[in-house]
Amino acid sequence: MIDDVMRGKILSGLGQGQYFISREGYSRQFVKKLGFVPFPGTLNVLLDEPFPAGASQAIKIEGFQKGGKSFGECKCYRIKLNGIEAAVVRPEKSRYPAELIEVIAPVKL
């Protein structure tokens, strides 16, 4: 789990998080590897500083193929957000800056 205190501002996203989080190929791995079914959507946060993505803490979520579409892999990092077990999701093919993160949790954030 990331032990650093992170601060930032909540941003509205493009609404794509719900689509990707709810894909069975991802959701099954989230349950197995993170221990929870994520609420269908993400919380977008623009951090004051870049996300401290330590390689040893990453939980790899494998990419997959479904219906002729390719879904890429991502790395997850366990965090607590106001006491709630959650995870930062970092897609491998993301164009996001290091300060912008997407957070998933078993409840609506």
Side-chain angles (χ1 to χ4, degrees):
M1 178 167 314
I2 301 289
D3 291 324
D4 298 338
V5 173
M6 296 177 279
R7 298 190 190 285
K9 296 177 184 142
I10 296 174
L11 300 177
S12 60
L14 300 173
Q16 295 178 337
Q18 178 179 357
Y19 173 77
F20 288 103
I21 296 303
S22 64
R23 299 298 95 195
E24 184 182 349
Y26 288 132
S27 62
R28 184 176 51 243
Q29 292 182 73
F30 292 142
V31 170
K32 182 178 179 182
K33 296 179 180 184
L34 297 175
F36 64 84
V37 175
F39 177 84
T42 62
L43 179 70
N44 297 297
V45 181
L46 182 62
L47 299 173
D48 294 340
E49 297 182 17
F51 179 72
S56 64
Q57 299 167 331
I59 298 166
K60 185 176 179 181
I61 304 295
E62 301 290 339
F64 60 95
Q65 301 277 327
K66 180 75 175 186
K69 293 184 180 180
S70 183
F71 295 86
E73 70 180 48
C74 64
K75 292 181 181 174
C76 292
Y77 301 86
R78 293 180 189 275
I79 64 168
K80 278 195 178 184
L81 184 65
N82 293 334
I84 298 170
E85 296 290 334
V88 170
V89 178
R90 302 291 293 182
E92 288 293 309
K93 295 182 180 180
S94 175
R95 295 185 198 124
Y96 285 174
E99 295 84 11
L100 185 58
I101 61 172
E102 290 185 86
V103 180
I104 59 173
V107 297
K108 182 177 181 179
L109 298 172

